[in-house]
Every structure is written in C-alpha cells, then in structure tokens.
C-alpha cells in the first residue's frame, strides 16, 4: 500500500516518512503542490497526507486536484488550529484533520482509522485460504499465526492477494511496493518474492506463489474464502 505525503517542512516530512515506512507503508513525498500533482499522476495512492501551507499554493485548493475525481482519502496536516480552518478543511472534503505538532502514534492511528472506514476498499481485510492480511495494520497471518515480513514482502503479498487468481505484472508489483525515491536494484523484487515464499512455507502456508514466466506472479484462488 502506497501513501503520498505532501509537506514542505523537511524535518517534519522526514519524521512522518520514517514513521510511515517503519509502520510498513511505501511513501512518496512531495514538498510542493506542483510536485504533489506530478506524483499523484505517477502512482496510485491509498491515502494522502496533506499540509495546508505549501510554498506554491494552498493545500485545500490542491485537495480536489489530487483526488482527480476519485475518492482517495485525505488527512490534512496543519499548524492552523483555529476552528474556522478545521471546518474549511472538512468542508473541503478532507477525511480527517491533524493539528501540528504531529504526534506520530496519533498520525498512524488516524491513518489506519481512515483506511478502515467503510467504503474504503483499499483498507478492507484480505483473505485467501489460510492467509489473512490487514492492509491498514500492515500485518498478515497464516491460520491466525502472525507472519514476520518486511515492508516489501508484505507489499508483494498484499498485491498478490488483491489480485488472487490473476497474474500481477512486475511493473504493478514494483509500483505498489516501492516509493519513487527507494533505491531498487534489478533483482530486488525477485529477492523479496523468494523471501516471501520461504516465510510462507515456513509458516505451513499451502498457497503457492506461481511465477508465470515473462508475465508476472500470482496466487491461485483457494476453496476457502
Ligand atoms: Ca507547510
């Protein structure tokens, strides 16, 4: 699951990126409105965290442009804590509002809550045979036993579970799992997939990751949900 952070204050942006990555999300970071529009064009994001005071524009004006008519959830981050601004943010279509200084545990909790809201498909629990994956909590289990996976391994598993029964291309997996400023070595995806395979086998998971040569990877559908 890939998120977009729009924040121009470098220390805060770095702290939020670190916290989100540590929690298992892939994060793209924009420090201007123009950059945010560019990034939202390049990748699909499950959630946008949006600062209101940007050097080249007002975040509230940017919000509908970033959504591009879709329904990506948006959490507004701002130092302006007056009631009027909060209401403007919510009226402007934000799903939640965080007043700076940002407390990271609060930010993570609110991000999970927004992702889990009914109607938000990207946050819905995924199940396939013995496998279950909670996209908002960034955790997965086999028959109820937690799997220990890296951010990338979990990201690969998430995309394969979302598409179970269909082949997922290399490009789609890379887009979902790597943020734009991640350094991606040529074999990084294969390495993550082979670690994921080993973790699934070690957990006694019978669902195989099938490689379709030259096309991509898939998890076959299971009789159980
Ligand atoms: Ca700002």
């Amino acid at each position: 699951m890939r998120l977009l952070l729009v924040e121009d204050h470098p220390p805060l942006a770095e702290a939020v990126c670190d916290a989100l990555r540590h929690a298992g999300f892939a994060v793209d970071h924009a420090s201007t409105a123009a950059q945010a529009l560019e990034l939202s064009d390049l990748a699909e994001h499950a959630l946008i965290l949006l600062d209101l005071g940007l050097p080249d524009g007002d975040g509230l004006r940017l919000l509908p442009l970033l959504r591009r008519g879709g329904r990506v959830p948006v959490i507004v981050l701002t130092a302006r804590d007056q009631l009027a601004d909060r209401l403007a943010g919510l009226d402007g279509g934000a799903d939640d509002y965080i007043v700076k200084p940002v407390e990271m545990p609060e930010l993570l909790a609110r991000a999970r809550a927004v992702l889990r809201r009914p109607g938000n498909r990207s946050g819905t629990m995924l199940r396939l045979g013995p496998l279950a994956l909670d996209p908002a909590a960034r955790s997965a289990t086999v028959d109820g036993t937690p799997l220990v996976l890296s951010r990338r391994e979990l990201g690969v598993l998430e995309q394969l579970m979302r598409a179970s029964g269909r082949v997922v291309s290399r490009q789609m997996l890379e887009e979902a799992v790597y943020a734009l400023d991640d350094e991606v070595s040529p074999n990084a995806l294969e390495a993550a997939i082979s670690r994921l395979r080993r973790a699934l086998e070690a957990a006694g998971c019978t669902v195989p990751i099938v490689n379709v040569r030259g096309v991509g990877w898939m998890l076959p559908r299971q009789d159980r949900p």
Side-chain angles (χ1 to χ4, degrees), residues 1 11 18 39-40 54 66 71 118 128 150-152 166 178 198 205 215 225:
M1 184 179 279
D18 282 353
L39 291 182
S40 72
L54 295 167
L66 284 177
R71 192 65 195 88
L128 183 72
S150 73
R151 170 163 62 96
R152 289 168 181 182
R166 284 179 284 133
Y178 297 100
R198 282 201 296 274
C205 179
V215 186

Side-chain angles (χ1 to χ4, degrees), residues 126-179:
L126 303 170
R127 292 179 201 281
L128 183 72
L131 278 165
L133 189 148
D134 183 338
R138 310 308 297 155
S139 64
T141 56
V142 173
D143 280 325
T145 305
L147 280 168
V148 181
L149 299 175
S150 73
R151 170 163 62 96
R152 289 168 181 182
E153 290 149 26
L154 190 85
V156 169
L157 182 61
E158 178 183 6
Q159 291 313 112
L160 294 177
M161 284 178 76
R162 285 190 192 285
S164 65
R166 284 179 284 133
V167 181
V168 185
S169 68
R170 161 184 298 277
Q171 191 193 343
M172 281 178 68
L173 283 176
E174 285 180 344
E175 273 175 14
V177 173
Y178 297 100

Side-chain angles (χ1 to χ4, degrees), residues 31-158:
S31 43
T32 64
Q35 211 181 359
L37 285 170
E38 219 172 279
L39 291 182
S40 72
D41 220 14
L42 287 174
E44 210 172 297
H45 298 102
L47 172 68
I48 299 172
L49 297 148
L50 179 62
D51 176 28
L52 290 191
L54 295 167
D56 57 344
D58 183 326
L60 280 184
R61 288 216 197 126
L62 184 63
L63 198 154
L65 301 175
L66 284 177
R67 278 205 175 122
R68 294 165 196 279
R71 192 65 195 88
V72 188
V74 175
I75 299 178
V76 156
L77 310 174
T78 185
R80 288 178 261 164
D81 58 353
Q82 289 86 16
L83 185 62
D85 286 329
R86 288 186 197 224
L87 292 176
L90 294 169
D91 283 347
D95 294 86
D96 200 358
Y97 211 100
I98 298 178
V99 174
K100 295 176 186 176
V102 176
E103 299 290 340
M104 295 308 154
E106 184 195 1
L107 179 134
L108 292 172
R110 289 194 188 218
R112 282 193 290 267
V114 165
L115 286 168
R116 284 191 180 123
R117 276 188 196 165
N120 183 14
R121 273 184 52 239
S122 61
T124 308
M125 194 79 177
L126 303 170
R127 292 179 201 281
L128 183 72
L131 278 165
L133 189 148
D134 183 338
R138 310 308 297 155
S139 64
T141 56
V142 173
D143 280 325
T145 305
L147 280 168
V148 181
L149 299 175
S150 73
R151 170 163 62 96
R152 289 168 181 182
E153 290 149 26
L154 190 85
V156 169
L157 182 61
E158 178 183 6

